[in-house]
Amino acid sequence: MGSTLRGVVGGVVLTTGLVAPVLTAPAQAAESTYVKKRIVVGTTSKGREIVAYYRGDAQPRRVLLVLGQMHGDEPAGRDTAFQVARKMRPRAGTGVWVIPSMNPDGRARGTRTNARGVDLNRNWPTSGWIKGTKGSRTYGGPKKGSERETRAMMRFLKRYKPDYIASIHQPLKGIGKSDKDVAFEKRLAKYLGLKRKYFGVAQGKGTSPTLTGWYNRYLGRHGTAITIEYGARPSKKYRTSTAARGIMRAARVDR
């Protein structure tokens, strides 16, 4: 499941809105080049930016993505994401992408859904998607992949194909079971002090219309995505140093 991140130094803007990083010749020649990068993954319907940070090797053998927030009323994971981006440095030959929030409109409003009232973790274009009830907390949107945030994340994931994705939620307190990469699940459970649980999505039949469901179904040959559910009120120490270090250890990118 090796990821290849081609170029995180320099960059030009693609029509997709992503930044296409380009390596310089010296960086290509270097066996291990540590880089830091900030890109805009996309924008919301309200014009807010979805930002991603990269830390690590210019051409990593293994990559972790930490997604701090999907739902705007679940703030704890952003602290973990910023801890990783600001305080942690991955081991040589690996890299970490950090997206503090893919729902900045929901965060600003303090709502689970985005500004259009859509639950972004029910909007992914899979066989299990259903529209649901508009105005509900789990409204799947007017159609599959209808939301700018969802489409921006899809473009990002298709481009970078992380080996491991940690999608942080709360308050169900557990590590989502998918049996796709049980070893990774068990490492997360051990280092985060959480039990492995099955978090079902009560929607249509087929593949869950969630980020993890979509990634594991369509890009699973490249890596695995797992839902992490914190408790309702994790301590500051837990959601920063404990969780950040634990996720990186589980993904084998810690120093």
Side-chain angles (χ1 to χ4, degrees), residues 34-177:
Y34 183 79
V35 296
K36 298 172 69 173
K37 186 71 181 178
R38 176 190 185 275
I39 67 171
V40 176
V41 175
T43 56
T44 69
S45 63
K46 296 295 185 182
R48 291 187 174 92
E49 294 181 341
I50 301 169
V51 178
Y53 303 90
Y54 180 78
R55 305 288 184 264
D57 201 283
Q59 296 191 43
R61 298 185 301 273
R62 182 166 53 253
V63 173
L64 163 69
L65 166 63
V66 177
L67 175 60
Q69 183 181 57
M70 173 85 70
H71 298 128
D73 59 355
E74 299 174 7
R78 291 183 72 255
D79 290 338
T80 305
F82 281 120
Q83 179 77 7
V84 172
R86 295 169 177 169
K87 303 292 185 180
M88 313 294 284
R89 179 165 176 158
R91 70 171 72 169
T94 70
V96 179
W97 278 105
V98 176
I99 299 178
S101 178
M102 68 165 284
N103 186 10
D105 288 349
R107 174 179 173 265
R109 291 153 50 95
T111 61
R112 174 184 174 91
T113 61
N114 70 357
R116 285 163 37 92
V118 176
D119 180 348
L120 296 177
N121 216 27
R122 300 295 186 276
N123 186 239
W124 292 72
T126 70
S127 58
W129 177 89
I130 63 172
K131 183 176 182 178
T133 304
K134 190 172 184 178
S136 72
R137 283 173 51 82
T138 56
Y139 175 48
K143 62 181 181 179
K144 295 180 180 181
S146 59
E147 303 311 292
R148 293 173 62 96
E149 298 93 337
T150 307
R151 296 194 301 273
M153 283 297 298
M154 288 173 62
R155 291 193 299 268
F156 176 88
L157 295 173
K158 287 177 180 178
R159 179 172 179 81
Y160 294 106
K161 302 179 182 66
D163 298 279
Y164 297 108
I165 298 175
S167 179
I168 305 174
H169 296 258
Q170 59 187 121
L172 301 181
K173 204 172 185 181
I175 303 298
K177 292 177 66 173

